[in-house]
Amino acid sequence: MGLVVQKYGGSSVADAEGIKRVAKRIVDAKKNGHQVVVVVSAMGDTTDELIDLAGQVSPIPAGREFDMLLTAGERISMALLAMAIKNLGHEAQSFTGSQAGVITDSVHNKARIIDVTPGRIRTALDEGNIAIVAGFQGVSQDKKDITTLGRGGSDTTAVALAAALEAEVCEIYTDVDGVFTADPRVVPKARKLDWISSGDMLELASSGSKVLLHRCVEYARRYNIPIHVRSSFSGLRGTWVSNEPQGDQVEHAIISGVAHDVSEAKVTVVGVPDKPGEAAAIFRTIADAEINIDMVVQNVSAATTALTDISFTLPKTDGAKAIDALEKAKSSIGFDSLRYDDQIGKISLVGAGMKTNPGVTASFFEALSDAGVNIELISTSEIRISVVTRADDVNEAVRAVHTAFGLDSDSDEAVVYGGTGR
Ligand code: ADP
Ligand code: ASP
Ligand code: MG
């Protein structure tokens, strides 16, 4: 029996009962002969509540202090979980990200893991303990400051530890039975996938399917770590995510699923001189503010003015920072004005099969049109088509596309066991 890393998300440890239920599951894995490392998230919506609290004292909180605040959430759950396990008569020790050897760069609020040195975890395991690690956090290599890995980052902690400890599997326990063809909260007829390739999962995750964080899937793909996404509330087999199918795992048909995302906003830079270097200046300004953008669209310039508009999408949470940075660079870039729209949503269709099946794009647009949904921006990759629409249209659009591609399930397998969907 080898080493397993299990990660429990916030909805699985939302209250004392949840923590006790999870503790039993962990002890069962230990009793089955595994060495067990557990990565745990903050209880329920604790992280959101801490973010709200920070916003009440400062509109743009300092990154270092923000991270210090947010990591408190995971410290609470790790200590409680270790106590609950001890109460069941088994040895457990909790560790912060820093103590567990999660070393990151120093970009606060979205740090990247650059090394994992889990010496203390190994020692704890060798002494017969279950090791509990606070997810979503690390320590910066240069300044030794506490950092966080970005929302949903406990998934990445789990995979990074699984890689460093050479675990046989990384189990991600959540509030649904696995990865579905769409978010079960939006599509009650969503179908559970038995297996999904890391490539398709990566596209779904970066298109907003928050069941797994995209960085975690990236990491797992690079280090070839199989992930098993499953519910902490049921005993069902979940979804395996890996580079290649193993054993009885079967590849899904042309389309793996439909993702949606209402966490982005659109910035339009109005009246940009249509000459070389302008787009570079805009996006350098955004990059220097450590902001990742998603889609970009430049309109053709009006012949009379030689001015153009450039729109791009970015996380809403970076909206204020982006506007601030662009306003400061306004005179040097030389645009007229900025427009900010946070009432947008994105719908994406993902599947490696679309590379070789003509007509997928046409059917996607027809489904949206039949649902009366207007498209504002479009972007594609080899295995994904995404569109931006009004936020209010997103749920309807996801259901329409899901049905149009024959993904609706006949059974009621899309159970949501917990969480608030926040
Ligand atoms: P956790 O607290 O366990 O980290 P998350 O809320 O981050 O849980 O992720 C689980 C949620 O992801 C589900 O409750 C579901 O609403 C959402 N989700 C979005 N897309 C999918 C999908 N394709 N399959 C399963 N769940 C999805
Ligand atoms: N607690 C953090 C969040 O809510 C990290 C995580 O749950 O993965 O984003
Ligand atoms: Mg999550």
Side-chain angles (χ1 to χ4, degrees):
M1 287 289 183
L3 190 157
V4 294
V5 174
Q6 301 188 329
K7 177 255 169 177
Y8 292 89
S11 48
S12 297
V13 291
D15 50 23
E17 280 316 306
I19 289 175
K20 289 197 272 185
R21 182 174 47 81
V22 162
K24 280 209 196 81
R25 265 199 110 112
I26 295 167
V27 165
D28 284 345
K30 170 89 180 166
K31 281 188 190 154
N32 283 337
H34 288 103
Q35 283 194 311
V36 189
V37 176
V38 176
V39 172
V40 69
S41 292
M43 294 170 71
D45 290 332
T46 303
T47 308
D48 290 291
E49 286 154 16
L50 292 172
I51 291 171
D52 289 349
L53 201 54
Q56 288 170 39
V57 298
S58 165
I60 304 183
R64 180 183 184 281
E65 306 313 321
F66 197 55
D67 278 352
M68 202 58 117
L69 176 71
L70 295 195
T71 53
E74 269 70 11
R75 279 195 176 220
I76 295 171
S77 46
M78 72 179 197
L80 290 171
L81 189 53
M83 289 174 197
I85 292 170
K86 280 171 176 283
N87 191 49
L88 295 175
H90 288 260
E91 288 309 315
Q93 278 183 357
S94 64
F95 298 90
T96 64
S98 169
Q99 290 175 323
V102 180
I103 318 281
T104 71
D105 62 18
S106 50
V107 181
H108 283 294
N109 311 335
K110 47 186 162 194
R112 273 184 183 271
I113 297 176
I114 49 184
D115 196 11
V116 182
T117 51
R120 291 190 68 177
I121 304 297
R122 278 245 183 259
T123 308
L125 292 173
D126 291 346
E127 289 169 354
N129 290 287
I130 293 167
I132 314 288
V133 179
F136 164 65
Q137 53 180 273
V139 61
S140 68
Q141 193 167 46
D142 51 0
K143 295 197 188 130
K144 306 283 178 277
D145 275 329
I146 296 302
T147 53
T148 61
L149 309 177
R151 297 306 309 271
S154 299
D155 294 346
T156 316
T157 307
V159 168
L161 275 170
L165 294 163
E166 296 175 2
E168 61 186 38
V169 58
C170 180
E171 296 183 322
I172 303 280
Y173 285 93
T174 184
D175 53 17
V176 289
D177 279 311
V179 179
F180 284 76
T181 47
D183 186 342
R185 283 177 209 274
V186 174
V187 182
K189 288 183 175 165
R191 193 185 299 167
K192 188 175 80 183
L193 303 171
D194 287 332
W195 176 80
I196 181 170
S197 70
S198 316
D200 278 15
M201 191 62 232
L202 202 54
E203 290 280 358
L204 279 178
S206 43
S207 306
S209 296
K210 67 171 181 161
V211 62
L212 282 182
L213 192 73
H214 64 106
R215 270 193 194 169
C216 131
V217 185
E218 235 167 38
Y219 213 102
R221 181 158 78 163
R222 187 166 353 123
Y223 292 95
N224 206 8
I225 304 291
I227 300 178
H228 186 186
V229 183
R230 56 196 304 196
S231 169
S232 71
F233 299 81
S234 81
L236 297 178
R237 167 182 158 146
T239 303
W240 284 87
V241 185
S242 57
N243 294 346
E244 298 293 334
Q246 320 264 311
D248 62 348
Q249 296 165 3
V250 190
E251 185 149 10
H252 206 64
I254 307 170
I255 300 299
S256 285
V258 188
H260 72 280
D261 190 357
V262 288
S263 70
E264 294 192 339
K266 182 171 75 175
V267 172
T268 303
V269 189
V270 181
V272 182
D274 199 356
K275 61 178 169 47
E278 287 295 314
I282 290 169
F283 292 110
R284 173 54 58 202
T285 305
I286 297 297
D288 287 347
E290 309 276 6
I291 296 169
N292 290 316
I293 55 155
D294 181 13
M295 296 185 184
V296 180
V297 175
Q298 175 171 348
N299 297 320
V300 279
S301 64
T304 44
T305 58
L307 293 177
T308 183
D309 295 346
I310 294 180
S311 296
F312 61 91
T313 60
L314 78 179
K316 271 181 200 167
T317 45
D318 285 332
K321 208 158 73 163
I323 296 292
D324 193 46
L326 286 170
E327 283 295 354
K328 284 192 181 121
K330 185 174 176 185
S331 55
S332 65
I333 302 175
F335 59 85
D336 280 346
S337 58
L338 294 171
R339 278 207 298 264
Y340 184 70
D341 179 358
D342 62 3
Q343 294 304 307
I344 61 161
K346 185 172 74 170
I347 299 126
S348 306
L349 185 69
V350 171
M354 70 173 71
K355 271 191 285 205
T356 46
N357 280 273
V360 170
T361 308
S363 305
F364 182 56
F365 290 161
E366 278 158 14
L368 293 170
S369 141
D370 291 347
V373 173
N374 192 42
I375 298 170
E376 300 183 15
L377 304 179
I378 302 169
S379 93
T380 60
S381 83
E382 243 190 339
I383 61 167
R384 174 187 54 78
I385 318 168
S386 304
V387 295
V388 166
T389 66
R390 289 292 88 206
D392 287 346
D393 287 338
V394 163
N395 289 358
E396 178 79 36
V398 172
R399 287 189 284 264
V401 170
H402 196 267
T403 303
F405 280 89
L407 298 173
D408 289 355
S409 165
D410 301 331
S411 63
D412 298 326
E413 57 183 338
V415 181
V416 177
Y417 297 94
T420 57
R422 194 170 165 182

